[in-house]
Amino acid sequence: MNSYKIDGFDYCELYVSNAKQAAHFYHSTFGFYPIAYCGLETGSRDRVSYVLKQNQIKFLLTSPLNNNSEISKHIYNHGDGVKDVSFTVNDAEAAWKESIERGAESVRKPHLLSDEKGEAIIATIKAFGDTSHTFVQRNNYNGVFLPGYDVFENNLTGDPSGLIHIDHIVGNQPNGEMQTVCNFYEKVFGWHRFWTVDDKDISTEFSALRSIVMANDNEKIKMPINEPADGLRKSQIQEFIDYYNSPGIQHIAMTTKDIINTVSKLRDKGVQFLETPKTYYESLTERIGEIDEDLDQIEDLGILVDKDEKGYMLQIFTKPIQDRPTLFYEIIQRKGSNSFGKGNFKALFESIENEQKIRGNL
Ligand code: FE2
């Protein structure tokens, strides 16, 4: 039992080389809005951050303002990527203290942030590689993000794309490290193993992976942990590790209530998705039965469908959103199913392998 409660994902912080331009990208393609800002104008001397929001999803895009900070070193090592996955908690000090007692390494001790809008306490521990977890506790805080951030004034137009909340966030590990990281989440946070696949379930002619989904007690947090498995060629997980130079966050899955509408909008705005082979749709109805959505539209948009005993789910994956083949996004609509799309892994892998081949990494 934990002495504190995790309510859900809070924000994801990405270290990027040009936060101003990245903020524009997240607005113009995914339909996020910048709501808060800190930088030189607000008294932040070493970094600039934009908070981007859509419904319950928040991204913090951070760039360094000098060349010898941990932020610039992180970008030098990993390229643009996710630095921190934060959790909303009712007691950040207890969460930090308990994690440290159970073997986690501290990155930032609990400290109080305050401004005229109220107070928050944040604390950070190491997760895997250079990735960390921050505990966020707001006390009667009525600003838009956290103390220290100004409201970002803008006259941006355009509509949101219907992304609602974060469904899961996936961490890639080097071969042989998956169990160690899952043990860490069990020991430090008391999380449980929600779902597992091994290389017998998900392999193609060329590559394979193993994955364990870790979940907290209320299952609002789900973090699949992957590692590569031996195949004839290089696993996509190994390709990630090679370019990120360490374990790290591979993808963030965001939910929608209308995947056809959302993916149509994203495609119109220039988001690139992995291609689904046409053969995937030939026996789709046989595999999954009747669904509410129009199958022609599903096929046109390249959306994947999978089912389990509780229902079905629709999902699609973007191509990497920076030049290195590292971080990408998943768009997911759940209609009863809590699964992670095991039935889609083969089609998905074949599509990723095709991209790897074009990159010369297969
Ligand atoms: Fe996923």
Side-chain angles (χ1 to χ4, degrees):
M1 259 313 259
N2 295 340
S3 63
Y4 63 97
K5 277 198 180 69
I6 293 183
D7 189 44
F9 290 112
D10 200 285
Y11 61 86
C12 285
E13 182 166 26
L14 285 83
Y15 281 176
V16 297
S17 56
N18 190 333
K20 188 173 206 164
Q21 288 187 8
H24 195 274
F25 171 85
Y26 278 87
H27 169 69
S28 60
T29 57
F30 287 99
F32 283 82
Y33 277 81
I35 56 159
Y37 169 84
C38 78
L40 292 173
E41 300 84 347
T42 68
S44 166
R45 303 308 299 172
D46 69 333
R47 69 185 63 199
V48 55
S49 294
Y50 294 78
V51 183
L52 280 284
K53 188 169 187 274
Q54 185 167 177
N55 293 307
Q56 293 153 46
I57 310 167
K58 279 175 282 183
F59 290 125
L60 182 58
L61 305 176
T62 298
S63 284
L65 289 169
N66 56 52
N67 62 0
N68 54 10
S69 67
E70 52 102 15
I71 309 167
S72 41
K73 283 185 198 126
H74 195 277
I75 294 167
Y76 177 79
N77 271 329
H78 307 292
D80 288 6
V82 177
K83 169 63 185 175
D84 190 277
V85 173
S86 79
F87 309 126
T88 315
V89 297
N90 63 343
D91 188 338
E93 181 148 12
W96 177 86
K97 197 164 166 267
E98 209 162 287
S99 302
I100 301 303
E101 280 165 8
R102 293 177 183 179
E105 210 178 297
S106 178
V107 173
R108 188 168 47 175
K109 286 181 179 173
H111 67 280
L112 183 75
L113 304 172
S114 66
D115 65 12
E116 66 285 358
K117 299 277 172 45
E119 287 181 357
I121 299 167
I122 59 167
T124 305
I125 60 161
K126 214 176 146 175
F128 44 78
D130 286 334
T131 313
S132 56
H133 290 307
T134 294
F135 304 110
V136 182
Q137 174 195 349
R138 294 180 184 82
N139 298 331
N140 301 317
Y141 179 70
N142 56 24
V144 289
F145 181 60
L146 280 171
Y149 288 79
D150 276 6
V151 172
F152 187 84
E153 303 290 350
N154 68 75
N155 50 8
L156 292 168
T157 53
D159 53 346
S161 48
L163 298 169
I164 310 286
H165 77 275
I166 292 175
D167 186 88
H168 59 274
I169 298 181
V170 181
N172 277 352
Q173 312 301 326
N175 197 1
E177 293 295 314
M178 175 183 70
Q179 291 291 353
T180 314
V181 172
C182 293
N183 292 343
F184 167 89
Y185 282 107
E186 275 176 341
K187 191 176 143 213
V188 170
F189 292 149
W191 293 1
H192 58 278
R193 292 167 192 236
F194 180 81
W195 193 77
T196 306
V197 279
D198 67 21
D199 40 333
K200 284 182 247 10
D201 297 313
I202 37 174
S203 64
T204 63
E205 188 190 348
F206 291 137
S207 63
L209 69 71
R210 288 180 283 267
S211 186
I212 298 173
V213 179
M214 300 305 296
N216 76 324
D217 50 1
N218 65 14
E219 296 183 346
K220 282 189 182 176
I221 305 285
K222 292 199 195 81
M223 292 199 60
I225 303 297
N226 295 338
E227 69 177 3
D230 288 337
L232 282 175
R233 301 278 175 85
K234 184 184 278 196
S235 168
Q236 47 147 322
I237 309 304
Q238 190 57 48
E239 189 195 31
F240 175 99
I241 301 287
D242 291 348
Y243 282 86
Y244 202 69
N245 286 321
S246 78
I249 300 298
Q250 178 209 37
H251 75 265
I252 299 174
M254 302 182 283
T255 61
T256 168
K257 288 188 173 126
D258 183 351
I259 197 163
I260 289 180
N261 188 268
T262 296
V263 174
S264 302
K265 278 185 178 168
L266 298 183
R267 280 194 182 277
D268 283 350
K269 290 171 182 168
V271 175
Q272 293 182 309
F273 291 95
L274 288 176
E275 272 161 43
T276 309
K278 287 289 161 204
T279 49
Y280 174 84
Y281 297 97
E282 282 167 8
S283 54
L284 187 62
T285 314
E286 256 165 61
R287 277 183 281 133
I288 55 151
E290 293 294 317
I291 57 170
D292 303 335
E293 292 72 18
D294 181 282
L295 282 175
D296 289 337
Q297 275 184 307
I298 292 286
E299 181 172 345
D300 281 350
L301 294 167
I303 293 167
L304 305 167
V305 193
D306 195 27
K307 70 159 185 182
D308 61 15
E309 55 296 338
K310 289 185 183 147
Y312 67 100
M313 58 92 115
L314 308 109
Q315 62 181 168
I316 189 167
F317 299 85
T318 71
K319 291 186 181 179
I321 47 106
Q322 60 290 305
D323 293 307
R324 295 194 200 193
T326 50
L327 177 69
F328 60 89
Y329 289 97
E330 172 183 350
I331 313 300
I332 183 167
Q333 182 177 7
R334 294 193 179 278
K335 299 190 101 167
S337 166
N338 267 329
S339 89
F340 282 79
K342 186 152 79 178
N344 289 330
F345 274 78
K346 197 167 166 12
L348 176 66
F349 268 46
E350 283 167 354
S351 177
I352 293 177
E353 283 166 10
N354 194 38
E355 300 283 323
Q356 279 181 263
K357 207 167 144 194
I358 295 167
R359 294 193 283 260
N361 290 330
L362 185 65

